[in-house]
Amino acid sequence: MIIAEHLEQTYMSGGHPLTVLSDINLTVEPQGFLAIVGPSGSGKTTLLGLLAGLDRPTAGRVVLDGEDLGPLTEDARARLRGEKVGFVFQTFQLIPTLTALENVLVPIELRPRAADRVENPEQRGRELLTRVGLGERTHHYPAQLSGGEQQRVALARAFANNPKVLFADEPTGNLDGDTGHAVIDLLVALNTEARTTLVLVTHDQELAQRAHQVVRLSGGKLVT
Amino acid sequence: MNLSFTLAMARREGRSSWRRIGFYMATVTLGVGALVAINSFRADVTAAIHREARTLLGSDLRLSSRRPMPETVQAILDSVAATGSEVSYVTSFSSMALTPSTGRTRLVNVRGLEGGFPFYGEVETDPAGSWSELQSGRRALVDRSVLVYLGARVGDELRIGQARFTIAGTIVRMPGEADISSTIRPRVLIPAEFLAETELLGFGSLVRYRAYLRLADPEEADAFAERHETLLEEAEVGATTVAQRAEDYARSLDIFARFLGLVGLAALLLGGLGVASAVHVFVKRKLETVAVLRCLGATQRTVFAVYLLQAGLMGLGGAAAGVVLGLAVQVLLPGILDDFLPVAVSPTLHPMVALAGLGVGVWVAVIFGLLPLLSVRDVTPLEALRRPFDGPASRWDLRRLAVMGALVATVVALSIAQAPHPWAGVAFAAAAAVTAAILGGMAWALTRATRRFFPRRAPYVVRQGVANLFRPHNQTVAVTLTVGFGVFVLGSMHIVQRNLLERLSLDARPDRPNLVVFDIQQDQRDGVESLIREHGFSAAELTPIVPARVAALNGRPVDELLEDTTGPRPARWALRREYRHTYRDTLVGSEELLAGEWWYEPAAPGALPRISVEEGLAEELGVGLGDAITWDVQGVLIETEITSLRQVSWARFETNFFVVFEPGVLDAAPTVYVTLTRVPGEEERALLQRDLVEAYPNVSALDLSLVQQTLETLIGSIALAIRFMALFSIASGMIVLVGAVATSRYQRVRESVLLKTLGAQARQVRQVLATEYVALGSLAGLTGCILAAVAGWALVTFLFELSFRLPLLQLAGIGLAAAVTTVLVGLVAGRDALRRAPLAVLREIGE
Ligand SMILES: Nc1ncnc2c1ncn2[C@@H]1O[C@H](COP(=O)(O)OP(=O)(O)O)[C@@H](O)[C@H]1O
Ligand SMILES: [Mg+2]
């Protein structure tokens, strides 16, 4: 499902090149579950961004569901994300001006052609919200929800389009222990139901245990 | 781009965007309102003038001559009168009017009427009906200002030359004449049959003889004028048709209204700046949302379209409200500009004007919003995962340049469309850009300086308040720009007004003459001089004045020049006007020699008589040093050579001349004299004038303090109109200010809650706020004042050519008023933030 070959990322920082990732090679099978672990600043988020096509690597290539991201234009990658990729962020990243339901609907409505969209988006949105336990909160704004609730809306949004791959960057980083566990349980369950490939960045050793495959980053290099 | 998503997203986001920047669209409302009002008014005036064109002239055709109608013309008039048309005669000249009961005199415009003029429109008088009785005896109708100045009442005697009249009433309105014209030339209407009794017509004073025609067939007027064109021209009789008169009026009023429109346009451009600033802050807040949308698969274009659509829709809302506002103000304008209107103006709806206003408003909102919106395109999806390292990069790519270009083009195009003349439009656009740049630059520099040099030991509340000017998402520059602009417009206008009026305030300047005595005949010179001396004053040397016309330029007769349509041609007015020349052997204080030589040396034998020409006139006539002008001095042709060119500062209150002759040439020509004197007290001035008029009825005296009053009225009326339009700009500034306060409300609330939890009292929190607005208000006031001073100085020095005095106190007053308003508006708008319960506040902060 995901192939990364000789990935390297170098940023210009204060006029000096700073190599954040070098020579990363990895493969994730369809319906696989990859956990990326490592200390803060080791390049986890950078790697996730490259795998999801949010950024271009300085060298190397990423193939996502059989498509080489390298030659794709910015817009083509956006469309690819809309079709095949879901995201869960550490800071939830719900759109503050939209209600819970409207947030969930965004990926569906972004589909360029009506034919590609699910039959009844509203109904699908409500079902997803009900699935994450927020069936009663569809018209609440993010500010009116607690952190755990917001992250559950984000989960519903991530699965709205039936993505092939779900990327999650420390989804429990901003939640307390119990809430975090509940969110992770929900995430794994949804993932299994939808047969989604999951790439997850985490600090949580216990969570990493549940992955099929764990890579450890240190100073921008894979160790294992 | 994904249209359905764009629409859905714009609609949903619009709910909150409306709260954030919708308010700023009120600045667009004000700008559009100002433009729609003034442009609708313009259309109203044009319509009214054309509708009442006949009233403007009072007849179908007007013939005008400087001599009694020549026989050839009189013959025509008699023949049309015999065939069903009506002819009315009005003879007018300037003269002194004297009321024996008070002993006071005033220079007035005397009009002797005969026949049915005005044929169209009514003369309104007080008491009503005195118009119809005017012809029933030695009666006079006068302007109110005449009564006031003479201290006379209706029923009093009025003396004009040797004739005596009873004041029968005052003129309220003459058809076709704006109120302001009665201020400039106060009228006295008398029956024509008593004109001869005044014994003033023969004295070579400037008399206008007019004949007004009501034709049996009014449509014939143009044909009539054309048929007799050659004859009239030969007789030096001018013909004015209804259409020409309407055209003239419409044109000058249009120019005036367009200038006011430019002031309104300034409000719209300020609105644009307000929108740009609001969108800028708005976009900064939206960057995360944009990044998330990009992550979720939205293309750059789609995201951009979501926000552009919102800006456009809000602009539409603002502009639509502006049209409504404009239509409301349109109804007020005739009242404000009443003094300048010769006809009654009835406001009507002009759909094209309204539509144009709507379009311009939306366009301005979009184009000004576009530049900050472009940074939406630079947001990368990666920013949803991690805050950007270098902040949003605003690259100067082609798109930005294109938008900048479109913005500049918009401003220039709008200015040109609004200005009376394309170049005036370009100049206005340039001036607007420079002003905005300087205001913005000064705001920036002053904030920097404040930050840099601010005393570190100041109390905490003060330091915090000043620091707030630099908070993220601050709109310090925007507020300074808009409020400062208001101060700038009001301030510079005030400076110019004060300088003009001060220049005119003769009593404050002991060295200035304040009484002009003119139309003194050759044989009255000694008498007038000794009369002035007897009153205890000294008169300046009498200045001779010789009326003349141009007969030929370099040997080519004027008629030939006028007919020649090829190549550059001397200006028509310059060829045809009557000049008043003088002769003397030196230059005077208001003159400066630009080229050639003054006649200090005696003339070479056989050379042409030498003259000195004012540079502007030389340009209009297309002549220079060495060229020959032949003058028709009351029938005698005198050929002269231009040996010098002069610059004349006309703004000075002195007797200035286009053309000065060397002495000796015009000695024999019929000459009248003018002299200046200074008579300090008003009473003495009145006494001297009375004695002059009684001894020499044809001699006129002009009390310059009257001219001063007239100009004060005139300048006051114009200033009122400009101020009214400037109100829109000032209101724009206030809206931007309130908007800026609202924008920072959440941060402010969070801060105040934080401060309170840290133990600050409500009073201290208020003080922080107050300090911030005091700083902001003073910044705006100061910036506006400095700019106003510079602009005022430039206008006074270069345009009006006067010496400059800065009315520092008043200017500071305007600046202070703006600062105080800023503080009040800021405190009132920020008030609710301080009263909020902390919990509700914490919930809202996330939004
Ligand atoms: N645009 C950038 N410019 C410069 N340095 C960057 C940039 N993006 C990331 N970095 C650096 O790369 C390193 C890895 O960052 P990141 O991938 O966010 O680490 P992690 O997610 O493992 O904490 C950090 O040291 C960060 O400072
Ligand atoms: Mg990270």
Side-chain angles (χ1 to χ4, degrees):
Chain A
M1 179 55 62
I2 305 170
I3 303 166
E5 287 172 355
H6 306 296
L7 277 188
E8 184 182 312
Q9 188 66 311
T10 303
Y11 290 117
M12 288 305 288
S13 166
H16 299 283
L18 173 74
T19 302
V20 178
L21 290 178
S22 63
D23 200 30
I24 306 282
N25 295 288
L26 55 81
T27 309
V28 185
E29 296 302 327
Q31 296 180 45
F33 178 177
L34 168 71
I36 303 172
V37 297
S40 189
S42 57
K44 302 184 296 294
T45 299
T46 308
L47 178 57
L48 188 86
L50 289 179
L51 296 180
L54 298 181
D55 203 1
R56 287 175 189 278
T58 321
R61 65 178 198 137
V62 176
V63 180
L64 187 68
D65 192 26
E67 224 167 325
D68 187 349
L69 298 183
L72 295 185
T73 64
E74 190 46 57
D75 280 354
R77 279 188 286 146
R79 250 170 238 127
L80 185 80
R81 284 197 296 273
E83 251 171 67
K84 301 186 175 169
V85 177
F87 283 97
V88 181
F89 306 93
Q90 180 175 356
T91 50
F92 322 140
Q93 296 288 30
L94 295 181
I95 295 170
T97 50
L98 302 184
T99 63
L101 180 61
E102 288 168 351
N103 263 288
V104 175
L105 291 180
V106 167
I108 301 175
E109 289 171 334
L110 267 172
R111 286 281 170 111
R113 278 174 305 167
D116 292 342
R117 288 174 216 156
V118 293
E119 277 286 297
N120 187 338
E122 288 246 344
Q123 196 190 327
R124 164 104 176 123
R126 281 175 205 285
E127 279 167 17
L128 278 163
L129 281 171
T130 312
R131 176 66 189 87
V132 299
L134 293 171
E136 305 293 302
R137 317 291 299 266
T138 50
H139 293 296
H140 285 71
Y141 283 93
Q144 298 164 322
L145 300 171
S146 72
E149 287 166 337
Q150 289 190 46
Q151 194 62 309
R152 281 192 275 158
V153 175
L155 279 179
R157 180 176 70 182
F159 283 99
N161 253 348
N162 288 317
K164 296 207 160 144
V165 192
L166 185 69
F167 291 96
D169 190 6
E170 304 195 36
T172 58
N174 274 9
L175 299 173
D176 64 65
D178 286 347
T179 318
H181 278 124
V183 164
I184 288 298
D185 288 343
L186 191 57
L187 170 61
V188 174
L190 282 168
N191 189 50
T192 321
E193 280 166 32
R195 298 155 183 273
T196 312
T197 309
L198 178 60
V199 177
L200 181 104
V201 170
T202 184
H203 266 96
D204 186 345
Q205 289 300 327
E206 196 187 321
L207 177 52
Q209 304 292 310
R210 298 165 75 164
H212 310 161
Q213 190 186 353
V214 178
V215 295
R216 184 172 303 275
L217 271 178
S218 177
K221 290 203 168 66
L222 280 187
V223 290
T224 355
Chain B
M1 195 182 80
N2 181 334
L3 193 64
S4 67
F5 172 78
T6 305
L7 290 174
M9 193 66 193
R11 182 169 53 79
R12 289 173 188 156
E13 276 242 293
R15 290 186 303 246
S16 74
S17 313
W18 182 250
R19 261 191 298 152
R20 289 247 191 271
I21 48 176
F23 182 72
Y24 284 88
M25 293 299 167
T27 58
V28 173
T29 302
L30 283 169
V32 169
L35 282 191
V36 167
I38 198 76
N39 287 337
S40 300
F41 171 74
R42 263 174 58 206
D44 285 341
V45 168
T46 312
I49 284 176
H50 285 115
R51 192 177 55 239
E52 297 190 32
R54 284 183 204 289
T55 314
L56 278 178
L57 196 60
S59 61
D60 298 319
L61 186 69
R62 183 184 74 189
L63 301 184
S64 179
S65 167
R66 290 183 176 279
R67 296 174 290 144
M69 287 297 166
E71 270 168 36
T72 47
V73 178
Q74 192 59 52
I76 298 173
L77 292 174
D78 291 342
S79 81
V80 289
T83 55
S85 300
E86 271 185 81
V87 184
S88 171
Y89 298 92
V90 177
T91 306
S92 62
F93 57 90
S94 290
S95 165
M96 297 304 278
L98 166 78
T99 17
S101 62
T102 59
R104 296 183 60 101
T105 57
R106 196 198 200 292
L107 186 67
V108 294
N109 178 239
V110 181
R111 302 188 195 176
L113 297 113
E114 172 191 341
F117 175 82
F119 298 116
Y120 303 100
E122 298 282 320
V123 179
E124 280 175 53
T125 57
D126 177 27
S130 37
W131 168 249
S132 55
E133 287 160 21
L134 178 64
Q135 300 289 348
S136 63
R138 287 184 178 76
R139 289 162 174 275
L141 282 172
V142 302
D143 273 318
R144 254 209 82 68
S145 56
V146 176
L147 276 197
V148 172
Y149 187 81
L150 294 178
R153 275 188 303 250
V154 171
D156 282 357
E157 182 188 304
L158 188 74
R159 241 191 264 169
I160 293 167
Q162 305 297 344
R164 287 147 197 264
F165 301 88
T166 309
I167 300 174
T170 56
I171 305 162
V172 177
R173 200 148 210 178
M174 289 281 282
E177 291 184 39
D179 284 356
I180 200 86
S181 65
S182 73
T183 312
I184 298 169
R185 286 153 59 89
R187 301 161 289 204
V188 171
L189 308 182
I190 55 168
E193 58 182 299
F194 306 112
L195 275 171
E197 275 182 25
T198 65
E199 295 179 17
L200 294 172
L201 295 185
F203 263 103
S205 50
L206 290 176
V207 184
R208 276 268 171 209
Y209 297 86
R210 292 197 167 108
Y212 291 86
L213 283 75
R214 177 159 74 180
L215 299 175
D217 175 8
E219 306 302 323
E220 266 285 283
D222 290 310
F224 179 95
E226 232 163 81
R227 196 161 54 239
H228 301 292
E229 192 182 338
T230 358
L231 188 147
L232 290 174
E233 206 152 282
E234 267 165 22
E236 291 182 346
V237 171
T240 310
T241 61
V242 169
Q244 283 165 349
R245 170 87 162 174
E247 193 62 23
D248 286 351
Y249 251 122
R251 195 178 311 120
S252 47
L253 279 170
D254 194 58
I255 289 177
F256 183 45
R258 278 171 176 277
F259 266 118
L260 290 181
L262 284 181
V263 184
L265 183 59
L268 183 62
L269 296 182
L270 276 185
L273 283 178
V275 168
S277 155
V279 172
H280 180 69
V281 172
F282 175 76
V283 163
K284 275 192 194 162
R285 288 172 182 280
K286 286 291 172 191
L287 294 181
E288 279 202 2
T289 299
V290 171
V292 172
L293 286 175
R294 297 290 316 282
C295 254
L296 299 180
T299 58
Q300 279 184 331
R301 227 182 247 245
T302 302
V303 178
F304 183 67
V306 166
Y307 291 103
L308 188 60
L309 187 63
Q310 290 183 46
L313 287 176
M314 280 186 265
L316 184 64
V323 170
V324 174
L325 174 70
L327 297 180
V329 174
Q330 176 194 1
V331 178
L332 297 179
L333 280 177
I336 290 164
L337 296 169
D338 194 36
D339 281 353
F340 301 97
L341 300 177
V343 285
V345 169
S346 47
T348 41
L349 176 72
H350 302 279
M352 283 317 289
V353 173
L355 217 59
L358 193 69
V360 165
V362 175
W363 178 250
V364 164
V366 167
I367 203 80
F368 275 85
L370 210 50
L371 206 57
L373 267 189
L374 277 182
S375 31
V376 162
R377 303 176 53 95
D378 300 331
V379 175
T380 68
L382 199 63
E383 287 163 34
L385 288 180
R386 179 174 55 204
R387 290 196 168 266
F389 271 70
D390 324 303
S394 39
R395 284 170 280 116
W396 280 97
D397 56 5
L398 266 174
R399 283 204 178 77
R400 276 207 160 65
L401 289 178
V403 170
M404 279 303 262
L407 210 145
V408 170
T410 301
V411 174
V412 173
L414 284 176
S415 310
I416 289 179
Q418 194 63 49
H421 186 275
W423 282 115
V426 173
F428 174 81
V434 169
T435 310
I438 294 180
L439 270 169
M442 286 195 16
W444 182 84
L446 279 176
T447 39
R448 280 307 118 117
T450 315
R451 172 133 81 168
R452 182 102 185 269
F453 301 112
F454 199 72
R456 307 247 163 267
R457 268 169 295 150
Y460 167 75
V461 288
V462 174
R463 271 182 295 138
Q464 178 66 39
V466 171
N468 279 353
L469 292 179
F470 316 102
R471 67 164 76 236
H473 302 176
N474 75 71
Q475 295 196 63
T476 305
V477 172
V479 172
T480 313
L481 204 62
T482 46
V483 176
F485 187 84
V487 174
F488 162 68
V489 173
L490 288 189
S492 49
M493 243 180 51
H494 184 81
I495 292 173
V496 170
Q497 199 179 352
R498 284 251 45 97
N499 271 279
L500 284 181
L501 294 182
E502 197 164 300
R503 173 76 222 178
L504 302 172
S505 82
L506 303 142
D507 289 330
R509 300 167 145 261
D511 55 323
R512 293 267 155 222
N514 58 4
L515 196 67
V516 187
V517 182
F518 57 100
D519 280 351
I520 305 166
Q521 307 297 310
Q522 211 116 16
D523 56 357
Q524 298 170 325
R525 297 163 62 182
D526 298 338
V528 169
E529 264 179 324
S530 57
L531 196 145
I532 294 174
R533 263 198 306 276
E534 276 161 31
H535 275 258
F537 309 108
S538 62
E541 208 181 313
L542 295 181
T543 307
I545 293 177
V546 179
R549 289 164 175 278
V550 178
L553 292 185
N554 288 323
R556 292 189 68 197
V558 166
D559 290 343
E560 189 186 314
L561 289 167
L562 285 171
E563 273 160 30
D564 187 359
T565 48
T566 57
R569 208 155 52 109
R572 210 179 163 76
W573 69 265
L575 284 178
R576 306 206 50 166
R577 64 164 282 157
E578 185 172 75
Y579 289 88
R580 295 156 76 81
H581 297 327
T582 192
Y583 51 85
R584 53 176 136 81
D585 48 19
T586 54
L587 283 162
V588 296
S590 57
E591 296 173 326
E592 198 185 317
L593 205 64
L594 287 184
E597 269 176 57
W598 194 253
W599 37 81
Y600 295 116
E601 304 292 322
L608 287 174
R610 294 170 291 181
I611 58 171
S612 175
V613 179
E614 190 260 345
E615 48 150 356
L617 178 71
E619 206 172 296
E620 296 278 3
L621 286 174
V623 293
L625 288 181
D627 281 328
I629 304 182
T630 310
W631 299 97
D632 175 349
V633 183
Q634 290 166 46
V636 181
L637 295 185
I638 301 179
E639 191 176 8
T640 58
E641 183 190 337
I642 303 172
T643 55
S644 68
L645 297 176
R646 283 164 309 136
Q647 187 175 36
V648 176
S649 46
W650 296 100
R652 295 223 202 160
F653 247 143
E654 273 155 32
T655 41
N656 284 313
F657 296 90
F658 275 125
V659 179
V660 178
F661 276 61
E662 70 175 312
V665 184
L666 295 174
D667 287 358
T671 309
V672 288
Y673 293 84
V674 59
T675 187
L676 298 164
T677 177
R678 180 172 177 84
V679 182
E682 204 176 316
E683 266 322 296
E684 286 113 316
R685 218 148 52 219
L687 275 178
L688 174 60
Q689 288 184 70
R690 187 198 61 195
D691 291 354
L692 266 174
V693 169
E694 290 198 321
Y696 309 98
N698 66 292
V699 169
S700 291
L702 181 56
D703 185 341
L704 289 182
S705 70
L706 267 181
V707 177
Q708 178 194 343
Q709 276 170 20
T710 306
L711 286 173
E712 261 175 39
T713 314
L714 189 68
I715 294 171
S717 296
I718 294 173
L720 174 72
I722 298 178
R723 263 195 215 113
F724 180 76
M725 295 310 288
L727 271 185
F728 287 86
S729 299
I730 292 160
S732 266
M734 287 302 131
I735 286 173
V736 171
L737 174 64
V738 173
V741 174
T743 306
S744 57
R745 178 166 160 259
Y746 294 97
Q747 282 162 298
R748 214 176 281 293
V749 166
R750 197 198 307 233
E751 265 163 27
S752 69
V753 168
L754 195 66
L755 285 177
K756 279 184 198 164
T757 45
L758 292 178
Q761 295 155 353
R763 190 171 50 89
Q764 286 169 303
V765 176
R766 259 200 307 278
Q767 281 169 347
V768 171
L769 211 60
T771 310
E772 178 180 344
Y773 292 123
V774 167
L776 197 57
S778 339
L779 196 64
L782 188 64
T783 313
C785 282
I786 294 176
L787 214 59
V790 174
W793 167 80
L795 283 173
V796 168
T797 311
F798 300 115
L799 185 65
F800 296 102
E801 294 184 2
L802 298 175
S803 60
F804 178 69
R805 270 260 307 268
L806 185 65
L808 199 57
L809 270 182
Q810 283 113 325
L811 186 61
I814 295 175
L816 195 68
V820 169
T821 314
T822 306
V823 174
L824 289 180
V825 168
L827 285 180
V828 169
R831 190 189 43 189
D832 77 310
L834 300 177
R835 283 203 308 237
R836 306 293 303 273
L839 192 65
V841 163
L842 288 172
R843 285 218 164 276
E844 259 183 76
I845 286 171
E847 203 182 316

